[in-house]
């Protein structure tokens, strides 16, 4: 197995209340007032109280090219990725002593909200004491599923190298993708739920010397499974235009959750000779309130089983790939009794689904 040893977060400096976002809407969307009045309840029903962004609200009043917005991405992504990494490797809530940067054997860097080549992880290497032979695995285009997919790929790699350490860094700056000229409903909904954030996770193999650094118990990844539905490219993702990245949300997403995601979960559990009744928590990526309630209905879950997803959505919004690491962090820090099996899940473009089975180990 592989162990999730520590989590760290990079939380942007600007906090935006949902009520403040609503006040900006007439200035951001060129809709008739009657249409705006009809759409504003979307913000009230989004289950988002506040979220963090990397630029002040006044930034959205200006006009910016894709290149200008991406320049902000390069600067801010590096800043908050380093913040998340520093907190992760030195987090006294998880570790008895800090893990040195030169102990990291691989970095999986996840982002889908900006363009960087070399990727941000290469820039991080110039700022911290990582070895120059560290294995780099940047992942782009996985969207909201990216954090869970990175955990799965780290698990795969650690099966081959059980004495190694993998650093996962997810950074999504959704606010920088906002385009005022995009008057589609997808952009309006994205404005109601998306936030910015970075998070890092340290995963270690069973034979890693860092096992002795761990405080209390630890969640271990038992198995993973990926699913991508063919011919579903229009479900969610980005449309690349001359002005930047336009968000795509299909109104069919809840139906896909109720059919494809439900079947994926059932198939995964069957492959492990398990059933829903054996699971305690569902650590899911909160794509939005509607997605969470559909997950509950499709598997007949209680809201309490998804409580950490709701909590992160309320205070941070949907931060795409980074969000699932926030959910894991809340679970690990807030819940005393974590014994048992826990399903981690995230949905992404494609229509894709990533599942991981976690088992709590007190040893």
């Amino acid at each position: 197995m592989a162990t999730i040893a520590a989590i760290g977060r990079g939380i942007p400096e600007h906090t935006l209340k949902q009520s403040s976002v609503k006040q900006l809407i007439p200035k951001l969307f060129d809709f008739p007032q009657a249409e705006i009045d009809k759409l504003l309840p979307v913000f009230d029903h989004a289950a988002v109280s506040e979220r963090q962004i990397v630029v002040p609200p006044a930034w959205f009043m200006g006009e910016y090219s894709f290149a200008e917005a991406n320049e902000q991405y390069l600067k801010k992504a590096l800043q908050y990725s380093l913040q998340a990494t520093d907190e992760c490797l030195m987090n006294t809530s998880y570790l008895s002593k800090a893990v040195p940067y030169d102990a990291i054997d691989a970095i999986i860097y996840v982002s889908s909200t900006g363009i960087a080549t070399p990727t941000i992880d290469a820039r991080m290497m110039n700022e911290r004491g990582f070895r120059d032979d560290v294995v780099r695995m940047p992942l782009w285009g996985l969207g909201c599923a990216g954090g869970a997919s990175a955990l799965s790929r780290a698990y795969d790699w650690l099966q081959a190298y059980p004495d190694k350490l993998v650093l996962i860094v997810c950074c999504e700056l959704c606010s920088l993708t906002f385009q005022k000229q995009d008057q589609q409903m997808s952009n309006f909904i994205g404005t109601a739920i998306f936030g910015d954030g970075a998070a890092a996770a340290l995963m270690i193999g069973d034979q890693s010397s860092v096992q002795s650094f761990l405080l209390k118990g630890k969640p271990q990844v038992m198995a993973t499974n990926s699913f991508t539905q063919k011919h579903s490219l229009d479900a969610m993702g980005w449309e690349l235009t001359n002005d930047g990245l336009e968000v795509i949300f299909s109104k069919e997403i809840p139906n896909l959750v109720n059919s494809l995601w439900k079947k994926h979960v059932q198939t995964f559990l069957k492959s492990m000779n398990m059933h829903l009744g054996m699971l305690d928590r569902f650590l899911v990526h909160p794509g939005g309130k509607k997605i969470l309630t559909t997950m509950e209905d499709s598997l007949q879950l209680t809201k309490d089983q998804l409580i950490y997803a709701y909590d992160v959505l309320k205070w941070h919004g949907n931060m795409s790939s980074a969000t699932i690491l926030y959910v894991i962090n809340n679970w690990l820090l807030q819940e005393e009794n974590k014994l048992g099996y826990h399903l981690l899940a995230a949905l992404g473009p494609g229509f894709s689904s990533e599942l991981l089975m976690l088992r709590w180990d007190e040893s």
Side-chain angles (χ1 to χ4, degrees), residues 77-93:
L78 177 59
Q79 175 185 346
Y80 291 108
S81 295
L82 289 171
Q83 184 183 113
T85 297
D86 292 345
E87 181 178 289
C88 176
L89 298 184
M90 304 176 192
N91 198 330
T92 56
S93 294

Side-chain angles (χ1 to χ4, degrees), residues 66 179 181-182 184 238-247:
F66 186 17
Q179 299 180 46
Q181 72 281 357
D182 180 7
Q184 299 177 77
W238 295 121
E239 182 75 26
L240 181 58
T241 72
N242 289 332
D243 298 306
L245 301 170
E246 289 186 358
V247 66

Side-chain angles (χ1 to χ4, degrees), residues 224-263:
T224 73
N225 198 268
S226 304
F227 169 81
T228 301
Q229 177 65 27
K230 295 181 180 179
H231 310 297
S232 63
L233 302 181
D234 57 351
M236 62 179 92
W238 295 121
E239 182 75 26
L240 181 58
T241 72
N242 289 332
D243 298 306
L245 301 170
E246 289 186 358
V247 66
I248 299 171
F249 277 140
S250 170
K251 63 181 181 181
E252 292 300 311
I253 293 175
N255 291 334
L256 295 174
V257 171
N258 195 41
S259 56
L260 299 179
W261 182 76
K262 177 182 178 180
K263 182 179 179 181

Side-chain angles (χ1 to χ4, degrees), residues 37-38 56 80 104 108 133 237 350-351:
D37 292 340
K38 180 180 178 181
Y80 291 108
I104 300 301
I108 301 179
D133 67 345
F351 171 89

Side-chain angles (χ1 to χ4, degrees), residues 222-223 225 264-279 341 357:
M222 294 176 58
N225 198 268
H264 186 205
V265 172
Q266 292 172 334
T267 302
F268 182 47
L269 292 177
K270 185 177 180 180
S271 71
M272 301 183 67
N273 294 315
M274 297 180 67
H275 56 80
L276 286 170
M278 298 172 65
L279 303 178
Y341 299 99
M357 185 63 67

Side-chain angles (χ1 to χ4, degrees), residues 18 41-49 51 192-193 288-290 313:
Q18 189 77 322
V42 169
F43 288 79
D44 299 322
H45 302 308
V48 177
S49 179
R51 83 290 292 268
I193 64 173
K289 181 182 177 182
K290 180 63 175 177
L313 182 64

